[in-house]
Amino acid sequence: MSDRLYIFDTTLRDGEQVPGCQLNTVEKIEVAKALQELGVDVIEAGFPISSPGDFESVVEISKAVTWPTICALTRAVQKDIDVAAESLKYAKKGRIHTGIGTSYYHIHHKLNSNQDEIIERAIAAVKYAKKYVEDVEFYAEDAGRTENEYLARVVEAVIKAGATVVNIPDTTGYCLPTEFGEKIKFLVDNVKGIEKATISTHCHNDLGMATANTIAGVMNGARQAEVTLNGIGERAGNTSLEEVVMTLKSRYKMLGVDTNINTKKIYGTSRLVSTLMNMPVQPNKAIVGRNAFAHSSGIHQDGVLKNRENCEIMDPTDVGINESSILLTARSGRAALNHRLELLGFKLDKEKLDKVYDEFVKLADKKKDIRDDDIALLVGDATRQERRIKLSYLQVVTGKSMMPMATVRLDIAGEKFDATSSGNGPVDAAIKAVKQIIHREVIIEEFLVQAITRGSDDVGKVHMQVEYDDTIFHGFGANTDIITAAVEAFLDAINKLPVAQ
Ligand code: KIV
Ligand code: ZN
């Protein structure tokens, strides 16, 4: 069996399904190009039948990317497959990923069908997809909860129909590592023709076992792993690319399986995805979290200083975390900023670099310790599309034993509007003033404030979820002034509302 694991990245499909993480086509192309540089083998670019935006993204990513395979998701439905094939017409290497639920729950309570009929539908979908492309991947949705004997029948049938890859998703994140590993082994041992296809894992993290299950799958014969950067994905997310890749690299002697990933690009790509998707990486996240290599206890610091290997199983530079010797301050020039941006995985044209540089200088005047996360935020701001409603002025008067008051001025499509309001706190006052201007019945459902690093001069980040007309909209804002960040987050969400007639 080959000792190479193919990395199938689904950040742009399963990862992008997270509410509030949606990217536009330009941003998706940027991520796809970064994934190509990272060295992933397959990019799942979208679910083309689901929306015109997804269709367009698959088309544009197919044009923009040169060597990885571009994959489009479908249900086991002819119309889905027709649309997916159309979206892949510019792909140098295209793959259709079709499939159907195989667990008792899916067959009886979702598809209202029976086991034999599901096998017929699976075979028909694979044969239909084969008319368009040679490379067809089949997924047995909820394979994690499908009994192994039936799963083996399904897998054997789709390989016979021409599937080149068979995907075994633990859709609900239910399996234990030993159980998942045994499932893959059962297929290896019992499916006639299994050597003609690659077995793929696709594990969700509902019980925190996605990476363990994926590695168990690899140890038992899977040679493709479906993953996302930073482990993003619906609910508790998908298996994280960086964890699987670095487990294989760090434990190569034990596992004997390798990938094509340029691990030095992991950190930069992780930051790019986090920034564009407005999805913070938890500080203790393995490999890419802010604290992943930060030793704080005295015993550990002593150990690391004597010899790094005393306490570290990986070298941070292997994943692209470089302590830059160039400190960025208000006096740093464009070249120094650009150098740091490149280390972080951002390649900006002159116009964007100028924009980021202007904001960088303003921030560096307010905050002396400019960190990588701050820079990533500035890039996010500069590349975000021009908003219709902008905050042009905000003044807040607040303090102990007084009624907070806020005055805001909004620029709406070039016209200026002012309002003043009181509130039970400065954020409440400012949001009420904004609401006086926009006249929309918007309810704030979630309001999350975070500081990025340390220190009272830090940049505050605000994520907001608002409800309007039974629909949820997400907004994000960042500023050293957290009231401004909150208003910016609110306006970011408001800008996504349908324009009033
Ligand atoms: O989790 C899952 O089962 C999926 C399939 C559509 C591959 O994402
Ligand atoms: Zn999934």
Side-chain angles (χ1 to χ4, degrees), residues 15-48:
E16 214 242 352
Q17 278 170 217
V18 180
C21 282
Q22 278 66 39
L23 300 178
N24 60 39
T25 301
V26 175
E27 291 166 331
K28 285 188 189 173
I29 292 172
E30 196 175 342
V31 173
K33 285 185 174 166
L35 291 171
Q36 171 169 255
E37 292 212 8
L38 181 63
V40 308
D41 300 285
V42 185
I43 297 174
E44 189 163 49
F47 181 14

PDB file of all heavy atoms in Angstrom, residues 15-48:
ATOM      1  N   GLY A  15     -16.429  23.580   5.319  1.00  0.00           N
ATOM      2  CA  GLY A  15     -15.999  24.631   6.245  1.00  0.00           C
ATOM      3  C   GLY A  15     -16.829  25.889   6.074  1.00  0.00           C
ATOM      4  O   GLY A  15     -17.205  26.553   7.040  1.00  0.00           O
ATOM      5  N   GLU A  16     -17.148  26.179   4.842  1.00  0.00           N
ATOM      6  CA  GLU A  16     -17.840  27.438   4.546  1.00  0.00           C
ATOM      7  C   GLU A  16     -19.310  27.382   4.935  1.00  0.00           C
ATOM      8  O   GLU A  16     -20.004  28.392   4.901  1.00  0.00           O
ATOM      9  CB  GLU A  16     -17.679  27.718   3.053  1.00  0.00           C
ATOM     10  CG  GLU A  16     -17.560  29.172   2.707  1.00  0.00           C
ATOM     11  CD  GLU A  16     -18.693  29.638   1.820  1.00  0.00           C
ATOM     12  OE1 GLU A  16     -19.486  28.791   1.354  1.00  0.00           O
ATOM     13  OE2 GLU A  16     -18.791  30.834   1.593  1.00  0.00           O
ATOM     14  N   GLN A  17     -19.802  26.191   5.321  1.00  0.00           N
ATOM     15  CA  GLN A  17     -21.206  26.080   5.730  1.00  0.00           C
ATOM     16  C   GLN A  17     -21.463  26.689   7.102  1.00  0.00           C
ATOM     17  O   GLN A  17     -22.595  26.811   7.524  1.00  0.00           O
ATOM     18  CB  GLN A  17     -21.620  24.598   5.736  1.00  0.00           C
ATOM     19  CG  GLN A  17     -21.981  24.103   4.350  1.00  0.00           C
ATOM     20  CD  GLN A  17     -22.164  22.596   4.271  1.00  0.00           C
ATOM     21  OE1 GLN A  17     -21.799  21.980   3.287  1.00  0.00           O
ATOM     22  NE2 GLN A  17     -22.721  21.988   5.306  1.00  0.00           N
ATOM     23  N   VAL A  18     -20.397  27.077   7.809  1.00  0.00           N
ATOM     24  CA  VAL A  18     -20.581  27.662   9.143  1.00  0.00           C
ATOM     25  C   VAL A  18     -21.295  29.007   9.008  1.00  0.00           C
ATOM     26  O   VAL A  18     -20.860  29.849   8.220  1.00  0.00           O
ATOM     27  CB  VAL A  18     -19.211  27.916   9.813  1.00  0.00           C
ATOM     28  CG1 VAL A  18     -19.389  28.522  11.194  1.00  0.00           C
ATOM     29  CG2 VAL A  18     -18.410  26.647   9.875  1.00  0.00           C
ATOM     30  N   PRO A  19     -22.379  29.234   9.779  1.00  0.00           N
ATOM     31  CA  PRO A  19     -23.055  30.516   9.680  1.00  0.00           C
ATOM     32  C   PRO A  19     -22.083  31.666   9.953  1.00  0.00           C
ATOM     33  O   PRO A  19     -21.291  31.600  10.899  1.00  0.00           O
ATOM     34  CB  PRO A  19     -24.125  30.447  10.786  1.00  0.00           C
ATOM     35  CG  PRO A  19     -24.295  28.998  11.060  1.00  0.00           C
ATOM     36  CD  PRO A  19     -22.983  28.329  10.744  1.00  0.00           C
ATOM     37  N   GLY A  20     -22.097  32.660   9.086  1.00  0.00           N
ATOM     38  CA  GLY A  20     -21.239  33.830   9.297  1.00  0.00           C
ATOM     39  C   GLY A  20     -19.874  33.716   8.641  1.00  0.00           C
ATOM     40  O   GLY A  20     -19.104  34.664   8.652  1.00  0.00           O
ATOM     41  N   CYS A  21     -19.545  32.535   8.072  1.00  0.00           N
ATOM     42  CA  CYS A  21     -18.211  32.346   7.481  1.00  0.00           C
ATOM     43  C   CYS A  21     -18.227  32.438   5.963  1.00  0.00           C
ATOM     44  O   CYS A  21     -17.235  32.112   5.318  1.00  0.00           O
ATOM     45  CB  CYS A  21     -17.657  30.972   7.852  1.00  0.00           C
ATOM     46  SG  CYS A  21     -17.040  30.946   9.517  1.00  0.00           S
ATOM     47  N   GLN A  22     -19.348  32.821   5.389  1.00  0.00           N
ATOM     48  CA  GLN A  22     -19.451  32.793   3.932  1.00  0.00           C
ATOM     49  C   GLN A  22     -18.468  33.761   3.272  1.00  0.00           C
ATOM     50  O   GLN A  22     -18.278  34.881   3.740  1.00  0.00           O
ATOM     51  CB  GLN A  22     -20.877  33.135   3.488  1.00  0.00           C
ATOM     52  CG  GLN A  22     -21.826  31.940   3.552  1.00  0.00           C
ATOM     53  CD  GLN A  22     -22.077  31.460   4.975  1.00  0.00           C
ATOM     54  OE1 GLN A  22     -22.202  32.276   5.872  1.00  0.00           O
ATOM     55  NE2 GLN A  22     -22.142  30.165   5.175  1.00  0.00           N
ATOM     56  N   LEU A  23     -17.859  33.288   2.201  1.00  0.00           N
ATOM     57  CA  LEU A  23     -16.901  34.106   1.456  1.00  0.00           C
ATOM     58  C   LEU A  23     -17.485  34.450   0.096  1.00  0.00           C
ATOM     59  O   LEU A  23     -18.292  33.681  -0.439  1.00  0.00           O
ATOM     60  CB  LEU A  23     -15.606  33.312   1.220  1.00  0.00           C
ATOM     61  CG  LEU A  23     -14.852  32.822   2.451  1.00  0.00           C
ATOM     62  CD1 LEU A  23     -13.630  32.022   2.003  1.00  0.00           C
ATOM     63  CD2 LEU A  23     -14.424  33.993   3.314  1.00  0.00           C
ATOM     64  N   ASN A  24     -17.061  35.577  -0.470  1.00  0.00           N
ATOM     65  CA  ASN A  24     -17.473  35.844  -1.853  1.00  0.00           C
ATOM     66  C   ASN A  24     -16.483  35.142  -2.797  1.00  0.00           C
ATOM     67  O   ASN A  24     -15.463  34.586  -2.350  1.00  0.00           O
ATOM     68  CB  ASN A  24     -17.597  37.349  -2.121  1.00  0.00           C
ATOM     69  CG  ASN A  24     -16.275  38.065  -1.902  1.00  0.00           C
ATOM     70  OD1 ASN A  24     -15.219  37.539  -2.252  1.00  0.00           O
ATOM     71  ND2 ASN A  24     -16.331  39.254  -1.332  1.00  0.00           N
ATOM     72  N   THR A  25     -16.774  35.191  -4.099  1.00  0.00           N
ATOM     73  CA  THR A  25     -15.953  34.417  -5.044  1.00  0.00           C
ATOM     74  C   THR A  25     -14.495  34.864  -5.031  1.00  0.00           C
ATOM     75  O   THR A  25     -13.580  34.033  -5.079  1.00  0.00           O
ATOM     76  CB  THR A  25     -16.553  34.533  -6.460  1.00  0.00           C
ATOM     77  OG1 THR A  25     -17.891  34.039  -6.379  1.00  0.00           O
ATOM     78  CG2 THR A  25     -15.792  33.730  -7.476  1.00  0.00           C
ATOM     79  N   VAL A  26     -14.269  36.195  -4.928  1.00  0.00           N
ATOM     80  CA  VAL A  26     -12.887  36.690  -4.946  1.00  0.00           C
ATOM     81  C   VAL A  26     -12.121  36.128  -3.740  1.00  0.00           C
ATOM     82  O   VAL A  26     -10.969  35.674  -3.860  1.00  0.00           O
ATOM     83  CB  VAL A  26     -12.890  38.242  -4.912  1.00  0.00           C
ATOM     84  CG1 VAL A  26     -11.474  38.786  -4.804  1.00  0.00           C
ATOM     85  CG2 VAL A  26     -13.586  38.783  -6.139  1.00  0.00           C
ATOM     86  N   GLU A  27     -12.769  36.119  -2.583  1.00  0.00           N
ATOM     87  CA  GLU A  27     -12.099  35.594  -1.382  1.00  0.00           C
ATOM     88  C   GLU A  27     -11.857  34.092  -1.516  1.00  0.00           C
ATOM     89  O   GLU A  27     -10.809  33.575  -1.109  1.00  0.00           O
ATOM     90  CB  GLU A  27     -12.964  35.877  -0.147  1.00  0.00           C
ATOM     91  CG  GLU A  27     -13.039  37.356   0.192  1.00  0.00           C
ATOM     92  CD  GLU A  27     -14.147  37.707   1.179  1.00  0.00           C
ATOM     93  OE1 GLU A  27     -15.189  37.007   1.220  1.00  0.00           O
ATOM     94  OE2 GLU A  27     -13.996  38.693   1.894  1.00  0.00           O
ATOM     95  N   LYS A  28     -12.833  33.383  -2.122  1.00  0.00           N
ATOM     96  CA  LYS A  28     -12.649  31.932  -2.276  1.00  0.00           C
ATOM     97  C   LYS A  28     -11.461  31.634  -3.196  1.00  0.00           C
ATOM     98  O   LYS A  28     -10.706  30.692  -2.965  1.00  0.00           O
ATOM     99  CB  LYS A  28     -13.915  31.288  -2.851  1.00  0.00           C
ATOM    100  CG  LYS A  28     -15.020  31.173  -1.823  1.00  0.00           C
ATOM    101  CD  LYS A  28     -16.147  30.361  -2.384  1.00  0.00           C
ATOM    102  CE  LYS A  28     -17.339  30.409  -1.462  1.00  0.00           C
ATOM    103  NZ  LYS A  28     -18.523  29.763  -2.022  1.00  0.00           N
ATOM    104  N   ILE A  29     -11.306  32.453  -4.229  1.00  0.00           N
ATOM    105  CA  ILE A  29     -10.171  32.231  -5.144  1.00  0.00           C
ATOM    106  C   ILE A  29      -8.863  32.440  -4.380  1.00  0.00           C
ATOM    107  O   ILE A  29      -7.901  31.680  -4.539  1.00  0.00           O
ATOM    108  CB  ILE A  29     -10.259  33.178  -6.359  1.00  0.00           C
ATOM    109  CG1 ILE A  29     -11.449  32.770  -7.212  1.00  0.00           C
ATOM    110  CG2 ILE A  29      -8.974  33.174  -7.173  1.00  0.00           C
ATOM    111  CD1 ILE A  29     -11.770  33.727  -8.321  1.00  0.00           C
ATOM    112  N   GLU A  30      -8.857  33.451  -3.514  1.00  0.00           N
ATOM    113  CA  GLU A  30      -7.642  33.715  -2.730  1.00  0.00           C
ATOM    114  C   GLU A  30      -7.305  32.504  -1.842  1.00  0.00           C
ATOM    115  O   GLU A  30      -6.160  32.062  -1.766  1.00  0.00           O
ATOM    116  CB  GLU A  30      -7.878  34.961  -1.870  1.00  0.00           C
ATOM    117  CG  GLU A  30      -6.607  35.542  -1.327  1.00  0.00           C
ATOM    118  CD  GLU A  30      -6.837  36.845  -0.574  1.00  0.00           C
ATOM    119  OE1 GLU A  30      -7.894  37.479  -0.757  1.00  0.00           O
ATOM    120  OE2 GLU A  30      -5.940  37.204   0.214  1.00  0.00           O
ATOM    121  N   VAL A  31      -8.338  31.952  -1.194  1.00  0.00           N
ATOM    122  CA  VAL A  31      -8.095  30.775  -0.346  1.00  0.00           C
ATOM    123  C   VAL A  31      -7.647  29.594  -1.210  1.00  0.00           C
ATOM    124  O   VAL A  31      -6.689  28.879  -0.863  1.00  0.00           O
ATOM    125  CB  VAL A  31      -9.366  30.411   0.474  1.00  0.00           C
ATOM    126  CG1 VAL A  31      -9.179  29.092   1.212  1.00  0.00           C
ATOM    127  CG2 VAL A  31      -9.700  31.527   1.472  1.00  0.00           C
ATOM    128  N   ALA A  32      -8.308  29.401  -2.366  1.00  0.00           N
ATOM    129  CA  ALA A  32      -7.955  28.258  -3.218  1.00  0.00           C
ATOM    130  C   ALA A  32      -6.493  28.343  -3.667  1.00  0.00           C
ATOM    131  O   ALA A  32      -5.768  27.339  -3.666  1.00  0.00           O
ATOM    132  CB  ALA A  32      -8.883  28.204  -4.431  1.00  0.00           C
ATOM    133  N   LYS A  33      -6.054  29.559  -4.022  1.00  0.00           N
ATOM    134  CA  LYS A  33      -4.652  29.695  -4.452  1.00  0.00           C
ATOM    135  C   LYS A  33      -3.706  29.397  -3.287  1.00  0.00           C
ATOM    136  O   LYS A  33      -2.640  28.801  -3.469  1.00  0.00           O
ATOM    137  CB  LYS A  33      -4.407  31.105  -4.981  1.00  0.00           C
ATOM    138  CG  LYS A  33      -5.000  31.318  -6.363  1.00  0.00           C
ATOM    139  CD  LYS A  33      -4.609  32.681  -6.848  1.00  0.00           C
ATOM    140  CE  LYS A  33      -5.024  32.926  -8.274  1.00  0.00           C
ATOM    141  NZ  LYS A  33      -4.933  34.338  -8.606  1.00  0.00           N
ATOM    142  N   ALA A  34      -4.094  29.820  -2.085  1.00  0.00           N
ATOM    143  CA  ALA A  34      -3.251  29.531  -0.916  1.00  0.00           C
ATOM    144  C   ALA A  34      -3.220  28.024  -0.641  1.00  0.00           C
ATOM    145  O   ALA A  34      -2.181  27.473  -0.265  1.00  0.00           O
ATOM    146  CB  ALA A  34      -3.773  30.296   0.303  1.00  0.00           C
ATOM    147  N   LEU A  35      -4.341  27.352  -0.865  1.00  0.00           N
ATOM    148  CA  LEU A  35      -4.379  25.898  -0.653  1.00  0.00           C
ATOM    149  C   LEU A  35      -3.468  25.192  -1.653  1.00  0.00           C
ATOM    150  O   LEU A  35      -2.794  24.208  -1.331  1.00  0.00           O
ATOM    151  CB  LEU A  35      -5.816  25.372  -0.797  1.00  0.00           C
ATOM    152  CG  LEU A  35      -6.798  25.783   0.302  1.00  0.00           C
ATOM    153  CD1 LEU A  35      -8.219  25.382  -0.068  1.00  0.00           C
ATOM    154  CD2 LEU A  35      -6.407  25.157   1.646  1.00  0.00           C
ATOM    155  N   GLN A  36      -3.462  25.731  -2.878  1.00  0.00           N
ATOM    156  CA  GLN A  36      -2.575  25.160  -3.902  1.00  0.00           C
ATOM    157  C   GLN A  36      -1.119  25.299  -3.460  1.00  0.00           C
ATOM    158  O   GLN A  36      -0.341  24.355  -3.537  1.00  0.00           O
ATOM    159  CB  GLN A  36      -2.814  25.886  -5.217  1.00  0.00           C
ATOM    160  CG  GLN A  36      -1.830  25.543  -6.297  1.00  0.00           C
ATOM    161  CD  GLN A  36      -2.268  26.086  -7.657  1.00  0.00           C
ATOM    162  OE1 GLN A  36      -2.724  25.344  -8.507  1.00  0.00           O
ATOM    163  NE2 GLN A  36      -2.121  27.369  -7.857  1.00  0.00           N
ATOM    164  N   GLU A  37      -0.757  26.470  -2.962  1.00  0.00           N
ATOM    165  CA  GLU A  37       0.636  26.675  -2.511  1.00  0.00           C
ATOM    166  C   GLU A  37       0.966  25.815  -1.301  1.00  0.00           C
ATOM    167  O   GLU A  37       2.091  25.383  -1.100  1.00  0.00           O
ATOM    168  CB  GLU A  37       0.855  28.145  -2.156  1.00  0.00           C
ATOM    169  CG  GLU A  37       0.791  29.004  -3.377  1.00  0.00           C
ATOM    170  CD  GLU A  37       1.701  30.208  -3.281  1.00  0.00           C
ATOM    171  OE1 GLU A  37       2.498  30.294  -2.330  1.00  0.00           O
ATOM    172  OE2 GLU A  37       1.608  31.059  -4.181  1.00  0.00           O
ATOM    173  N   LEU A  38      -0.049  25.572  -0.490  1.00  0.00           N
ATOM    174  CA  LEU A  38       0.152  24.713   0.690  1.00  0.00           C
ATOM    175  C   LEU A  38       0.441  23.273   0.261  1.00  0.00           C
ATOM    176  O   LEU A  38       1.118  22.538   0.967  1.00  0.00           O
ATOM    177  CB  LEU A  38      -1.124  24.776   1.547  1.00  0.00           C
ATOM    178  CG  LEU A  38      -1.182  24.006   2.850  1.00  0.00           C
ATOM    179  CD1 LEU A  38      -0.136  24.536   3.829  1.00  0.00           C
ATOM    180  CD2 LEU A  38      -2.570  24.120   3.481  1.00  0.00           C
ATOM    181  N   GLY A  39      -0.102  22.903  -0.907  1.00  0.00           N
ATOM    182  CA  GLY A  39       0.192  21.559  -1.436  1.00  0.00           C
ATOM    183  C   GLY A  39      -0.938  20.559  -1.276  1.00  0.00           C
ATOM    184  O   GLY A  39      -0.695  19.351  -1.311  1.00  0.00           O
ATOM    185  N   VAL A  40      -2.189  21.044  -1.115  1.00  0.00           N
ATOM    186  CA  VAL A  40      -3.279  20.068  -0.997  1.00  0.00           C
ATOM    187  C   VAL A  40      -3.500  19.395  -2.354  1.00  0.00           C
ATOM    188  O   VAL A  40      -3.228  19.979  -3.400  1.00  0.00           O
ATOM    189  CB  VAL A  40      -4.603  20.703  -0.475  1.00  0.00           C
ATOM    190  CG1 VAL A  40      -4.381  21.488   0.797  1.00  0.00           C
ATOM    191  CG2 VAL A  40      -5.273  21.557  -1.523  1.00  0.00           C
ATOM    192  N   ASP A  41      -3.983  18.161  -2.326  1.00  0.00           N
ATOM    193  CA  ASP A  41      -4.156  17.411  -3.574  1.00  0.00           C
ATOM    194  C   ASP A  41      -5.500  17.698  -4.226  1.00  0.00           C
ATOM    195  O   ASP A  41      -5.607  17.719  -5.443  1.00  0.00           O
ATOM    196  CB  ASP A  41      -4.050  15.902  -3.285  1.00  0.00           C
ATOM    197  CG  ASP A  41      -2.706  15.562  -2.686  1.00  0.00           C
ATOM    198  OD1 ASP A  41      -1.723  15.550  -3.447  1.00  0.00           O
ATOM    199  OD2 ASP A  41      -2.616  15.354  -1.454  1.00  0.00           O
ATOM    200  N   VAL A  42      -6.532  17.875  -3.393  1.00  0.00           N
ATOM    201  CA  VAL A  42      -7.887  18.096  -3.911  1.00  0.00           C
ATOM    202  C   VAL A  42      -8.506  19.278  -3.172  1.00  0.00           C
ATOM    203  O   VAL A  42      -8.387  19.386  -1.946  1.00  0.00           O
ATOM    204  CB  VAL A  42      -8.780  16.842  -3.671  1.00  0.00           C
ATOM    205  CG1 VAL A  42     -10.150  17.021  -4.323  1.00  0.00           C
ATOM    206  CG2 VAL A  42      -8.119  15.577  -4.168  1.00  0.00           C
ATOM    207  N   ILE A  43      -9.162  20.162  -3.939  1.00  0.00           N
ATOM    208  CA  ILE A  43      -9.888  21.285  -3.322  1.00  0.00           C
ATOM    209  C   ILE A  43     -11.370  21.075  -3.598  1.00  0.00           C
ATOM    210  O   ILE A  43     -11.786  21.073  -4.766  1.00  0.00           O
ATOM    211  CB  ILE A  43      -9.445  22.640  -3.928  1.00  0.00           C
ATOM    212  CG1 ILE A  43      -7.966  22.898  -3.641  1.00  0.00           C
ATOM    213  CG2 ILE A  43     -10.320  23.787  -3.408  1.00  0.00           C
ATOM    214  CD1 ILE A  43      -7.400  24.153  -4.324  1.00  0.00           C
ATOM    215  N   GLU A  44     -12.143  20.864  -2.539  1.00  0.00           N
ATOM    216  CA  GLU A  44     -13.600  20.803  -2.748  1.00  0.00           C
ATOM    217  C   GLU A  44     -14.085  22.246  -2.778  1.00  0.00           C
ATOM    218  O   GLU A  44     -14.080  22.951  -1.770  1.00  0.00           O
ATOM    219  CB  GLU A  44     -14.306  20.013  -1.656  1.00  0.00           C
ATOM    220  CG  GLU A  44     -15.770  19.785  -2.010  1.00  0.00           C
ATOM    221  CD  GLU A  44     -16.437  18.670  -1.205  1.00  0.00           C
ATOM    222  OE1 GLU A  44     -16.315  18.666   0.038  1.00  0.00           O
ATOM    223  OE2 GLU A  44     -17.076  17.802  -1.817  1.00  0.00           O
ATOM    224  N   ALA A  45     -14.503  22.691  -3.966  1.00  0.00           N
ATOM    225  CA  ALA A  45     -14.730  24.129  -4.162  1.00  0.00           C
ATOM    226  C   ALA A  45     -16.167  24.547  -3.919  1.00  0.00           C
ATOM    227  O   ALA A  45     -16.442  25.747  -3.830  1.00  0.00           O
ATOM    228  CB  ALA A  45     -14.304  24.505  -5.582  1.00  0.00           C
ATOM    229  N   GLY A  46     -17.086  23.608  -3.790  1.00  0.00           N
ATOM    230  CA  GLY A  46     -18.455  24.018  -3.502  1.00  0.00           C
ATOM    231  C   GLY A  46     -19.467  22.938  -3.853  1.00  0.00           C
ATOM    232  O   GLY A  46     -19.117  21.814  -4.234  1.00  0.00           O
ATOM    233  N   PHE A  47     -20.732  23.325  -3.692  1.00  0.00           N
ATOM    234  CA  PHE A  47     -21.889  22.448  -3.936  1.00  0.00           C
ATOM    235  C   PHE A  47     -22.711  23.201  -4.989  1.00  0.00           C
ATOM    236  O   PHE A  47     -23.627  23.962  -4.650  1.00  0.00           O
ATOM    237  CB  PHE A  47     -22.622  22.290  -2.597  1.00  0.00           C
ATOM    238  CG  PHE A  47     -23.836  21.426  -2.570  1.00  0.00           C
ATOM    239  CD1 PHE A  47     -24.151  20.561  -3.605  1.00  0.00           C
ATOM    240  CD2 PHE A  47     -24.679  21.453  -1.461  1.00  0.00           C
ATOM    241  CE1 PHE A  47     -25.279  19.753  -3.547  1.00  0.00           C
ATOM    242  CE2 PHE A  47     -25.803  20.656  -1.389  1.00  0.00           C
ATOM    243  CZ  PHE A  47     -26.112  19.808  -2.433  1.00  0.00           C
ATOM    244  N   PRO A  48     -22.344  23.054  -6.274  1.00  0.00           N
ATOM    245  CA  PRO A  48     -22.825  23.978  -7.308  1.00  0.00           C
ATOM    246  C   PRO A  48     -24.339  24.130  -7.421  1.00  0.00           C
ATOM    247  O   PRO A  48     -24.819  25.206  -7.732  1.00  0.00           O
ATOM    248  CB  PRO A  48     -22.225  23.412  -8.591  1.00  0.00           C
ATOM    249  CG  PRO A  48     -21.076  22.603  -8.145  1.00  0.00           C
ATOM    250  CD  PRO A  48     -21.396  22.068  -6.799  1.00  0.00           C
TER     251      PRO A  48
END
